[in-house]
Amino acid sequence: MVASNSAVVLIVEDEPLIRFNILDVLEDVGHVALEAANADEAMVVLKGRQDVDILFTDVNMAGSMDGIQLAKRVRAMRPNIGIIITSGMVRLDPMALPANAAFLPKPYMHDTLISTIDSLMA
C-alpha cells in the first residue's frame, strides 16, 4: 500500500518495538515519521516543528499526561492537526472524538492506520 498524500506523522508510543514498527511502516509508504516515547517528548517535538500533519498517540503511557490529555492539548494548540488515538485497554466512542480525529483499537492492521491517515489528510 502507498499513501495517497505524504504526511508528517508524530508517533507517540511508549513501547519501543511498536513505535519502531509503525515508524518503518509509515516511512515505507511515503510518510515522514517522527517519534516520541511519551506526551512530554511529543510536546517538545511539536514546539520545534510546525509541519506535523498527524498526531498518532497511544492512550496509556508514562509521563505528565496520557494520550487523551495530549490530544486535547494538541487540538487546542493546533486545531487543524489530524489526531489518531489508539489503545488496547480502553475503547473510545468515535462519535465522542473531536473533528478531524479517529480512534483505532489495538490490535489494528497497518493498512487501516494508513487509510485513516489518508482520510484525515483529505
Side-chain angles (χ1 to χ4, degrees), residues 53-87:
D53 299 304
I54 303 285
L55 171 72
F56 177 55
T57 184
D58 191 13
V59 171
N60 297 319
M61 59 188 149
S64 66
M65 63 185 121
D66 65 17
I68 296 169
Q69 293 166 315
L70 173 63
K72 288 178 181 177
R73 279 191 71 184
V74 170
R75 174 60 69 231
M77 289 172 35
R78 298 202 194 159
N80 296 327
I81 198 168
I83 297 173
I84 303 171
I85 301 171
T86 188
S87 179

Coordinates of all heavy atoms in Angstrom, one line a residue, residues 53-87:
D53 N 1.4 17.0 10.5 CA 0.1 16.9 10.0 C -0.8 16.0 10.9 O -2.0 16.3 11.0 CB 0.1 16.3 8.6 CG 0.9 17.1 7.6 OD1 0.5 18.3 7.4 OD2 1.8 16.6 7.0
I54 N -0.2 14.9 11.4 CA -1.0 13.9 12.1 C -0.3 13.6 13.4 O 0.9 13.4 13.5 CB -1.1 12.6 11.3 CG1 -1.8 12.9 9.9 CG2 -1.9 11.5 12.1 CD1 -3.3 13.1 9.9
L55 N -1.1 13.5 14.5 CA -0.6 13.0 15.8 C -1.2 11.6 15.9 O -2.4 11.5 15.9 CB -1.1 13.9 16.9 CG -0.8 13.4 18.4 CD1 0.6 13.4 18.7 CD2 -1.7 14.1 19.4
F56 N -0.4 10.6 16.1 CA -0.8 9.3 16.3 C -0.3 8.8 17.7 O 0.9 8.7 18.0 CB -0.2 8.3 15.3 CG -0.6 6.9 15.5 CD1 -1.9 6.5 15.6 CD2 0.4 5.9 15.5 CE1 -2.2 5.1 15.8 CE2 0.1 4.6 15.7 CZ -1.2 4.2 15.8
T57 N -1.3 8.7 18.7 CA -0.9 8.5 20.1 C -1.6 7.4 20.7 O -2.8 7.1 20.5 CB -1.1 9.8 20.9 OG1 -0.6 9.6 22.2 CG2 -2.5 10.2 21.0
D58 N -0.8 6.7 21.5 CA -1.4 5.6 22.4 C -2.1 6.4 23.6 O -1.7 7.5 23.9 CB -0.3 4.7 22.9 CG -0.8 3.5 23.6 OD1 -2.0 3.2 23.5 OD2 0.0 2.8 24.2
V59 N -3.0 5.7 24.3 CA -3.7 6.4 25.4 C -2.8 6.2 26.6 O -2.5 7.2 27.3 CB -5.1 5.8 25.6 CG1 -5.6 6.2 27.0 CG2 -6.0 6.1 24.5
N60 N -2.4 5.0 27.0 CA -1.7 4.7 28.2 C -0.2 4.8 28.0 O 0.3 4.0 27.3 CB -2.1 3.3 28.7 CG -3.6 3.2 29.1 OD1 -4.1 4.1 29.7 ND2 -4.2 2.1 28.7
M61 N 0.4 5.7 28.8 CA 1.8 5.9 28.8 C 2.3 6.7 30.0 O 1.5 7.4 30.5 CB 2.3 6.5 27.5 CG 1.8 7.9 27.2 SD 2.2 8.4 25.5 CE 0.8 9.4 25.1
A62 N 3.5 6.5 30.3 CA 4.1 7.2 31.5 C 4.3 8.7 31.1 O 4.3 9.0 29.9 CB 5.4 6.6 31.9
G63 N 4.4 9.5 32.1 CA 4.7 10.9 31.9 C 3.6 11.8 32.5 O 2.8 11.3 33.3
S64 N 3.7 13.1 32.2 CA 2.8 14.0 32.9 C 1.3 14.0 32.4 O 0.5 14.5 33.0 CB 3.3 15.4 32.7 OG 3.3 15.8 31.4
M65 N 1.1 13.3 31.2 CA -0.3 13.2 30.7 C -0.4 12.0 29.8 O 0.6 11.5 29.3 CB -0.6 14.5 29.9 CG 0.2 14.8 28.7 SD -0.3 16.3 27.9 CE 1.3 17.2 28.0
D66 N -1.6 11.5 29.7 CA -1.9 10.3 28.8 C -2.2 10.8 27.4 O -2.2 12.0 27.1 CB -3.0 9.4 29.4 CG -4.3 10.1 29.4 OD1 -4.6 11.1 28.8 OD2 -5.2 9.6 30.2
G67 N -2.5 9.9 26.5 CA -2.7 10.2 25.1 C -4.0 11.1 24.9 O -4.0 11.9 24.0
I68 N -5.0 10.9 25.7 CA -6.2 11.7 25.6 C -5.9 13.1 26.0 O -6.3 14.1 25.3 CB -7.3 11.1 26.4 CG1 -7.7 9.7 25.9 CG2 -8.6 12.0 26.4 CD1 -8.6 8.9 26.7
Q69 N -5.2 13.3 27.1 CA -4.8 14.7 27.5 C -3.9 15.3 26.5 O -4.1 16.5 26.2 CB -4.1 14.6 28.9 CG -5.1 14.2 30.0 CD -4.3 13.8 31.3 OE1 -3.3 13.1 31.2 NE2 -4.7 14.3 32.4
L70 N -3.0 14.6 25.9 CA -2.1 15.1 24.9 C -3.0 15.5 23.7 O -2.8 16.6 23.1 CB -1.1 14.0 24.4 CG -0.3 14.4 23.2 CD1 0.6 15.6 23.5 CD2 0.6 13.2 22.8
A71 N -3.9 14.7 23.3 CA -4.8 15.0 22.1 C -5.5 16.3 22.4 O -5.6 17.2 21.5 CB -5.7 13.9 21.8
K72 N -6.0 16.5 23.6 CA -6.8 17.7 23.9 C -5.8 19.0 23.8 O -6.2 20.0 23.3 CB -7.4 17.6 25.3 CG -8.6 16.7 25.3 CD -9.2 16.6 26.7 CE -10.3 15.6 26.7 NZ -10.9 15.4 28.1
R73 N -4.6 18.8 24.3 CA -3.7 20.0 24.3 C -3.3 20.3 22.9 O -3.2 21.5 22.5 CB -2.4 19.6 25.1 CG -2.7 19.9 26.6 CD -1.4 19.8 27.4 NE -0.5 21.0 27.2 CZ 0.7 21.1 27.7 NH1 1.1 20.1 28.5 NH2 1.4 22.1 27.5
V74 N -3.0 19.2 22.1 CA -2.7 19.5 20.7 C -3.8 20.1 19.9 O -3.6 21.0 19.1 CB -2.2 18.1 20.0 CG1 -2.0 18.3 18.5 CG2 -0.9 17.7 20.7
R75 N -5.0 19.6 20.1 CA -6.2 20.2 19.5 C -6.3 21.7 19.8 O -6.6 22.5 18.9 CB -7.5 19.4 19.9 CG -8.8 20.0 19.4 CD -8.9 20.1 17.8 NE -9.0 18.8 17.3 CZ -8.2 18.4 16.2 NH1 -7.3 19.2 15.7 NH2 -8.4 17.2 15.7
A76 N -6.1 22.1 21.1 CA -6.2 23.5 21.5 C -5.1 24.3 20.8 O -5.3 25.4 20.4 CB -6.1 23.6 23.0
M77 N -3.8 23.7 20.7 CA -2.7 24.4 20.1 C -2.8 24.5 18.6 O -2.5 25.5 18.0 CB -1.4 23.7 20.4 CG -0.9 23.8 21.8 SD 0.5 22.6 22.2 CE 1.4 22.7 20.7
R78 N -3.2 23.4 18.0 CA -3.2 23.3 16.5 C -4.6 22.7 16.1 O -4.7 21.5 15.9 CB -2.1 22.5 16.0 CG -0.7 23.1 16.4 CD 0.3 22.5 15.4 NE 1.6 22.8 16.0 CZ 2.7 22.2 15.6 NH1 2.7 21.2 14.8 NH2 3.9 22.5 16.2
P79 N -5.6 23.5 15.9 CA -6.9 23.0 15.5 C -7.0 22.2 14.2 O -7.9 21.3 14.1 CB -7.8 24.2 15.4 CG -6.9 25.4 15.9 CD -5.5 24.9 16.0
N80 N -6.0 22.3 13.3 CA -6.1 21.7 12.0 C -5.3 20.3 12.0 O -5.4 19.6 11.0 CB -5.5 22.6 10.9 CG -6.4 23.8 10.8 OD1 -7.6 23.8 11.0 ND2 -5.8 24.9 10.5
I81 N -4.6 20.0 13.0 CA -3.8 18.7 13.0 C -4.8 17.5 13.1 O -5.8 17.6 13.8 CB -2.8 18.7 14.1 CG1 -1.7 17.7 13.9 CG2 -3.4 18.4 15.5 CD1 -0.5 17.8 14.8
G82 N -4.5 16.5 12.3 CA -5.3 15.2 12.4 C -4.8 14.5 13.6 O -3.6 14.4 13.9
I83 N -5.7 13.8 14.3 CA -5.4 13.1 15.5 C -5.9 11.7 15.4 O -7.1 11.5 15.1 CB -5.9 13.8 16.8 CG1 -5.3 15.2 17.0 CG2 -5.7 12.9 18.0 CD1 -5.9 16.0 18.1
I84 N -5.0 10.7 15.7 CA -5.4 9.3 15.8 C -5.0 8.8 17.2 O -3.9 8.9 17.6 CB -4.7 8.4 14.7 CG1 -5.0 9.0 13.3 CG2 -5.2 7.0 14.8 CD1 -4.2 8.3 12.2
I85 N -6.0 8.3 17.9 CA -5.8 7.8 19.2 C -5.9 6.3 19.2 O -6.9 5.8 18.5 CB -6.8 8.4 20.2 CG1 -6.6 9.9 20.3 CG2 -6.6 7.8 21.6 CD1 -7.7 10.6 21.1
T86 N -5.0 5.5 19.8 CA -5.1 4.1 19.8 C -5.0 3.6 21.2 O -4.3 4.2 22.1 CB -4.0 3.5 18.9 OG1 -4.2 2.1 18.8 CG2 -2.6 3.7 19.4
S87 N -5.6 2.4 21.5 CA -5.4 1.7 22.8 C -5.9 0.3 22.7 O -6.8 0.0 21.9 CB -6.2 2.5 23.8 OG -6.1 1.8 25.1

